[in-house]
Amino acid sequence: MAFAGNHHNLQTLESYKLCVRCNKCCKKHNEISYSYKEIIHNCSEDILLIKRKGSNSLWRPVAPLPDFPRPFKYVVCWYFTEESGCTQHGRKCTYARSSEEAALWNVMKDENLIIPKLVKMIKQNQRTLQSKSQEKRGQFDCTLCQVHIPNVEDLMNHCFTVKHRRLIFEDTSQTWKYRDPPPTYKDQKLCERSLLCEYGDNCTKAHSQEELREWQKRIKASRKRARDVDEMGLLSYQDSLLDEYRHSNDKKMIVSDTLPDVFITCDP
């Protein structure tokens, strides 16, 4: 992970693995022990996890640096237990809960890092490592479907398969109560005849405020998943264009039958 810091801090970071997760994709075993699973969902990325490289131990959570005090060096709390937390100061304890958290806190203090900035660095580093690994092997990985793709053309075709697209656009992390949102997201409205609507389930308008709110939540989650997958280079051109079209205020700027001063002719 690249940053303008001293050599000792760089060595410290290179000794650990870092990742960001949320309550949906990670499991809390006790106060400072987590594991995670790879799922496609609207990840809030609000849990920073750390573990030492080569270790079989579970991941440790990292909290933001305490506002006060700021010691010369952070150390692990003497009174902390994994089952009960700090038995002396409880939630007010400003000591680290694990050696991993203490190590990262010291780097964050020295480098003036906050967790959002660190998360951004982690993502950039993961993309760089993945890209270098793919170039070295001469193949590409679809981390969603857990398959290897031999070349760019096959990767593009794979990204438009039903299985791949289902992992992106079908949120299996929770059960929805109402109908699927309409294809044209910008036209979300309440139906004026919701109780007597002749279109029934085929109506493209919401039949209640609750359904409308769920649609808005699902659309927001879908966009977040699509953006995350797009950053990974695993969103097909067709889906990228469709997502842009759905959310554009001026759809003619995305797709149009004609363009000014552009004429197409076909020779017989």
Side-chain angles (χ1 to χ4, degrees):
M1 188 179 300
F3 66 95
N6 64 51
H7 182 67
H8 173 72
N9 286 336
L10 181 59
Q11 283 186 321
T12 299
L13 279 184
E14 288 180 344
S15 301
Y16 294 93
K17 292 181 179 180
L18 297 168
C19 69
V20 282
R21 301 290 168 178
C22 70
N23 287 324
K24 290 183 179 179
C25 56
C26 69
K27 179 180 179 181
K28 183 177 181 180
H29 298 274
N30 57 44
E31 188 72 17
I32 57 167
S33 295
Y34 285 73
S35 60
Y36 71 81
K37 57 183 178 180
E38 296 288 353
I39 60 172
I40 297 299
H41 66 300
N42 185 27
C43 187
S44 58
E45 298 178 340
D46 53 1
I47 301 176
L48 175 60
L49 299 175
I50 183 173
K51 69 182 294 186
R52 185 175 288 276
K53 289 182 178 178
S55 171
N56 293 324
S57 63
L58 295 172
W59 293 82
R60 305 299 192 190
V62 179
L65 282 176
D67 293 329
F68 182 84
R70 287 294 177 96
F72 175 75
K73 182 179 181 180
Y74 287 103
V75 295
V76 180
C77 177
W78 288 2
Y79 305 101
F80 184 87
T81 64
E82 292 194 20
E83 293 75 22
S84 307
C86 177
T87 58
Q88 188 76 6
H89 304 289
R91 295 289 182 182
K92 295 181 180 180
C93 182
T94 57
Y95 286 83
R97 296 167 293 177
S98 65
S99 59
E100 294 89 348
E101 184 175 55
L104 189 57
W105 274 7
N106 286 315
V107 173
M108 292 170 65
K109 174 179 66 70
D110 293 343
E111 303 297 333
N112 194 27
L113 291 173
I114 57 176
I115 284 184
K117 185 176 180 180
L118 193 59
V119 167
K120 185 177 180 181
M121 292 168 59
I122 292 170
K123 288 184 175 181
Q124 290 175 341
N125 187 61
Q126 288 173 340
R127 287 196 293 269
T128 300
L129 290 176
Q130 184 180 20
S131 177
K132 288 182 178 179
S133 176
Q134 290 173 346
E135 289 177 4
K136 185 176 180 180
R137 295 195 313 269
Q139 64 180 15
F140 299 85
D141 293 330
C142 176
T143 54
L144 303 184
C145 305
Q146 300 295 313
V147 295
H148 301 300
I149 313 295
N151 54 60
V152 176
E153 184 178 353
D154 287 346
L155 177 65
M156 293 173 64
N157 292 332
H158 168 79
C159 289
F160 202 59
T161 59
V162 173
K163 177 184 176 182
H164 180 87
R165 297 179 73 247
R166 184 174 292 150
L167 288 173
I168 300 172
F169 297 107
E170 292 185 8
D171 188 357
T172 58
S173 61
Q174 67 182 98
T175 302
W176 299 105
K177 183 178 179 180
Y178 299 99
R179 298 173 296 151
D180 291 338
T184 307
Y185 292 163
K186 285 291 181 181
D187 295 336
Q188 298 172 67
K189 297 177 182 177
L190 272 175
C191 180
E192 299 84 357
R193 296 168 50 84
S194 58
L195 297 178
L196 302 171
C197 180
E198 59 270 29
Y199 297 107
D201 288 343
N202 294 323
C203 182
T204 58
K205 297 180 181 179
H207 285 172
S208 67
Q209 285 286 356
E210 292 78 12
E211 184 173 52
L212 183 60
R213 282 194 290 268
E214 183 178 283
W215 282 1
Q216 292 167 345
K217 182 179 179 181
R218 293 179 66 175
I219 290 166
K220 183 178 179 181
S222 177
R223 289 216 76 188
K224 174 67 165 57
R225 290 196 305 274
R227 283 196 299 267
D228 290 344
V229 173
D230 195 21
E231 287 183 1
M232 297 163 63
L234 298 175
L235 188 67
S236 70
Y237 171 75
Q238 295 94 324
D239 285 321
S240 178
L241 186 65
L242 180 59
D243 183 69
E244 190 175 358
Y245 178 80
R246 281 174 168 173
H247 297 90
S248 174
N249 291 321
D250 188 357
K251 291 179 170 47
K252 289 185 178 180
M253 295 295 294
I254 310 300
V255 177
S256 178
D257 293 331
T258 60
L259 290 174
D261 302 321
V262 175
F263 304 94
I264 299 176
T265 58
C266 297
D267 295 330

